[in-house]
Amino acid sequence: MTQTVPVELDDVVGGSFFHREFHRHPPALAPRYKSSIARSPKLALVSIPNSLSELSGPLFGHDTIGPDDNDLTVNFAKPGSRPALGERIIVHGRVLDERGIGMSGMLVEIWQANSGGRYRHIKDGYAAPLDSSFGGCGRTITDSQGGYEFRTIRPGAYPWPNGINDWRPSHIHFSLFGTGFAQRLITQMYFEGDPLIPQCPIVNAIPDPKFVEPLIARMDRHNTIPMDARAYRFDIILRGRRSTQFEGQAG
Amino acid sequence: MVVLGRVLHESPSQTAGPYVHIGCTPNYIGLKGIYGGHDLGENLVGEDTPGQRISISGCIFDGIRTPIRDGIVEVWQADHLGLFNSPVEKRGKSAKGFVGWARRATDPSTGEFSFLTVKSGATPFTDGNMQAPFISFWIAARGINLGLHTRMYFPDEIEANQRDPVLSRLEHSGRISTLLAREVSENEYRFDIHLQGERETVFFDV
């Protein structure tokens, strides 16, 4: 017999998330992105109201993170060795919710190819060489305003086995946590001006090119560090919570 | 009171791609020593966290019944009394050492994942009625364009499952079985996830 804790109704209604706008996301099946064909559910998602299991989620303290975790130019390099090869960049921005409120204390994880377009992974056989000083992952926790910053190198474009001549635009993968498990999101950041963006089947899985725009980081001349690194600005939006006054009691 | 509506829109999802393990479980797949040698989400519970100890293992199968070997699985659950480790939880504090969240790479050779945890307690639904015990799953991988949410329920909770408000809203009651773990031996559960096919798992829009 499972034990239970008494529940007050006020504890569980209110503050559920705005319903996800699926028309802004890629559908499960996007046939030009071939991997989606056998990996897309065929049946409809079953919609359920948010209860505590969706409204709550893991939180990560600042002590989770080491001092170099957000600097991919050094976090895998052996002590005393050179930093990672490539164009040195800062990627920074804010994590906001759909109400425009900065989300502090949120875990942001990234991963990417090296400057030649090669991942440090046994399955990546691209001809571009590995960089002994580059691992390809980083993580940080947003500050009190929702701000985050990574130092890294600009990843290279690379060919991938989809069409016979498909090349991924330069991109950085982002994994995000909000305060609720329903906000969990993985996405990719692209670079302003990359001609490969409109040709990419993964990008084009997003139903409308205007919805791709928020995924394209802008060069941020004001935050360039002279003689060191260029800056790119990339804000990420996670689902927002409804005001409790609009909540119904039944799902 | 100022009511703030939706003024921005959630960033569009993109697939985690084939190298999500580099980002989420780097030590496990060979970036030895990074992040002090530990990946996030290794342990759901502490050594002395109270509750019934269980293990959960499984695979994610694609539409041609091949295990996905480049994915990640995350779980989120309540403790043995049904309390979440979260400030959103107002009914009490979750048990000592209880984390409630963990993440695994699906094994690059076999596709297997496994977790050690405690069985979760019942948690309230939006109307205050109790739900049967379950564990929330979230999966991401190459070819999955938007991370998938599902739930694992316990096969031995027959009465609670029958009353469960989520299971009972499924139009095709035959699909409930896709959300039930199999008990392969005492306290050892198997939960396979099927992306397509006759046994396609129920995925939720939460």
Side-chain angles (χ1 to χ4, degrees):
Chain A
M1 189 62 200
T2 305
Q3 296 172 272
T4 59
V5 173
V7 51
E8 298 295 328
L9 204 56
D10 288 350
D11 295 339
V12 288
V13 297
S16 68
F17 292 104
F18 291 122
H19 190 256
R20 186 165 247 160
E21 296 176 299
F22 284 98
H23 68 284
R24 294 173 179 270
H25 292 278
L29 175 63
R32 287 212 52 227
Y33 172 33
K34 293 178 183 173
S35 290
S36 75
I37 294 175
R39 293 183 169 197
S40 44
K42 292 287 174 272
L43 300 172
L45 301 179
V46 174
S47 295
I48 54 173
N50 293 162
S51 62
L52 274 173
S53 52
E54 291 78 39
L55 295 169
S56 63
L59 294 175
F60 305 88
H62 287 273
D63 57 353
T64 316
I65 302 296
D68 288 334
D69 285 4
N70 70 337
D71 187 344
L72 286 73
T73 68
V74 300
N75 71 7
F76 190 73
K78 291 184 179 61
S81 66
R82 62 162 175 78
L85 294 170
E87 294 178 42
R88 296 162 65 78
I89 59 171
I90 306 277
V91 174
H92 74 116
R94 292 176 74 201
V95 178
L96 304 158
D97 75 7
E98 288 174 313
R99 296 189 297 169
I101 298 167
M103 299 184 67
S104 70
M106 299 296 109
L107 176 67
V108 183
E109 298 166 289
I110 65 170
W111 64 103
Q112 64 168 90
N114 70 20
S115 60
R118 172 87 178 264
Y119 285 90
R120 182 171 289 282
H121 193 283
I122 195 167
K123 293 242 175 79
D124 188 351
Y126 180 36
L130 287 171
D131 174 354
S132 59
S133 288
F134 188 71
C137 62
R139 63 186 187 185
T140 191
I141 296 210
T142 57
D143 65 21
S144 60
Q145 307 297 307
Y148 75 88
E149 179 177 316
F150 289 99
R151 196 177 254 274
T152 185
I153 51 89
R154 181 176 167 132
Y158 57 85
W160 60 298
N162 187 63
I164 202 71
N165 193 24
D166 280 341
W167 292 71
R168 291 300 330 275
S170 295
H171 63 277
I172 298 176
H173 297 267
F174 274 73
S175 166
L176 296 130
F177 288 83
T179 52
F181 208 46
Q183 290 170 296
R184 192 78 179 83
L185 183 70
I186 283 180
T187 189
Q188 300 184 29
M189 181 201 102
Y190 303 100
F191 291 84
E192 181 178 12
D194 188 337
L196 292 170
I197 294 171
Q199 299 177 22
C200 176
I202 289 175
V203 173
N204 289 335
I206 295 172
D208 188 319
K210 70 174 182 278
F211 300 146
V212 175
E213 289 298 311
L215 299 185
I216 302 175
R218 308 292 156 184
M219 194 166 80
D220 176 6
R221 198 173 281 279
H222 301 296
N223 285 297
T224 292
I225 303 177
M227 306 304 286
D228 182 352
R230 285 172 10 252
Y232 281 89
R233 167 89 190 205
F234 182 54
D235 292 339
I236 301 142
I237 317 299
L238 299 180
R239 292 170 69 185
R241 287 178 194 269
R242 295 158 57 92
S243 166
T244 52
Q245 75 183 73
F246 295 125
E247 294 287 323
Q249 293 196 347
Chain B
M1 184 180 121
V2 178
V3 177
L4 293 173
R6 180 187 243 158
V7 295
L8 300 172
H9 301 280
E10 185 185 18
S11 302
S13 173
Q14 291 272 265
T15 178
Y19 306 121
V20 61
H21 294 175
I22 293 175
C24 292
T25 56
N27 282 281
Y28 176 74
I29 57 102
L31 273 68
K32 294 288 181 211
I34 198 152
Y35 301 157
H38 290 284
D39 295 331
L40 285 178
E42 289 176 346
N43 300 312
L44 273 153
V45 291
E47 277 179 20
D48 49 3
T49 303
Q52 178 189 345
R53 296 278 163 159
I54 61 170
S55 70
I56 301 164
S57 62
C59 275
I60 307 167
F61 292 96
D62 70 12
I64 40 180
R65 297 185 193 173
T66 305
I68 285 185
R69 293 166 297 173
D70 54 8
I72 57 163
V73 179
E74 293 182 0
V75 292
W76 174 243
Q77 66 166 94
D79 72 3
H80 67 304
L81 295 178
L83 293 170
F84 288 96
N85 176 22
S86 165
V88 175
E89 177 61 83
K90 307 293 188 198
R91 298 169 300 147
K93 199 170 159 22
S94 59
K96 185 183 173 217
F98 179 76
V99 179
W101 174 78
R103 163 195 278 171
R104 295 288 180 270
T106 59
D107 186 277
S109 339
T110 63
E112 289 275 324
F113 62 81
S114 65
F115 299 94
L116 296 175
T117 187
V118 296
K119 184 175 175 182
S120 48
T123 57
F125 194 56
T126 48
D127 58 4
N129 288 319
M130 299 311 277
Q131 305 179 85
F134 67 91
I135 292 177
S136 296
F137 276 65
W138 187 80
I139 62 173
R142 171 175 63 87
I144 294 177
N145 284 327
L146 178 62
L148 294 168
H149 288 270
T150 187
R151 291 178 170 191
M152 185 200 100
Y153 288 81
F154 294 88
D156 37 342
E157 294 279 350
I158 295 166
E159 277 177 42
N161 289 343
Q162 275 169 357
R163 285 196 307 268
D164 183 82
V166 167
L167 294 180
S168 53
R169 75 166 53 200
L170 295 178
E171 181 190 352
H172 304 99
S173 57
R175 300 191 70 203
I176 290 173
S177 64
T178 72
L179 300 176
L180 298 179
R182 261 186 315 123
E183 190 166 12
V184 290
S185 65
E186 197 179 355
N187 297 322
E188 195 181 330
Y189 293 94
R190 178 89 192 167
F191 184 56
D192 289 326
I193 296 169
H194 298 266
L195 297 179
Q196 297 176 358
E198 268 176 40
R199 289 194 41 78
E200 181 176 318
T201 301
V202 172
F203 297 104
F204 293 106
D205 158 27
V206 298

